[in-house]
Amino acid sequence: MPTISRDEVAHLARLARLAVTEQELDKFAGQLDIILQSVAQVTEVAGEDVPPTSHAVPLTNVFREDVVRPGLTQQQALSGAPAAEDGRFRVPRILGEEQ
């Protein structure tokens, strides 16, 4: 049976840049252990004779045909914008000049 230690959970948290408390380490270790056990059970059940599937029922092309439809004009698209300039959406600068 797979088990995951608090140290492994702390290591994973550091890799994911997550700040976790000591209580969360215990809680997450238990939760991750249950997940790993469940995955192990599934891998035991799935034999070589069971093909991998992505859906429970077979699907054929579920995409619709591309149909050209009229879009908005530039004026219509910009009509709801809070600010426009030179025929484009005007948005606040988020990067400094050094970028």
Side-chain angles (χ1 to χ4, degrees):
M1 257 192 233
T3 57
I4 187 164
S5 69
R6 293 177 85 250
D7 291 337
E8 290 171 316
V9 174
H11 179 69
L12 290 172
R14 278 191 301 278
L15 291 174
R17 298 176 189 245
L18 297 174
V20 293
T21 65
E22 293 296 316
Q23 291 174 330
E24 289 173 327
L25 285 175
D26 292 327
K27 180 179 179 180
F28 294 157
Q31 290 175 341
L32 287 171
D33 194 47
I34 291 170
I35 292 169
L36 292 174
Q37 289 176 14
S38 299
V39 170
Q41 280 183 319
V42 170
T43 57
E44 289 174 9
V45 173
E48 302 248 347
D49 58 333
V50 179
T53 57
S54 60
H55 297 292
V57 295
L59 296 176
T60 54
N61 187 3
V62 294
F63 299 107
R64 63 172 170 75
E65 291 292 321
D66 286 336
V67 178
V68 177
R69 296 185 294 184
L72 297 175
T73 65
Q74 184 182 34
Q75 185 178 10
Q76 289 170 323
L78 293 173
S79 67
E85 183 178 297
D86 298 327
R88 294 176 289 200
F89 294 101
R90 178 165 167 62
V91 295
R93 181 182 302 254
I94 59 171
L95 301 174
E97 293 296 323
E98 69 278 0
Q99 296 287 328

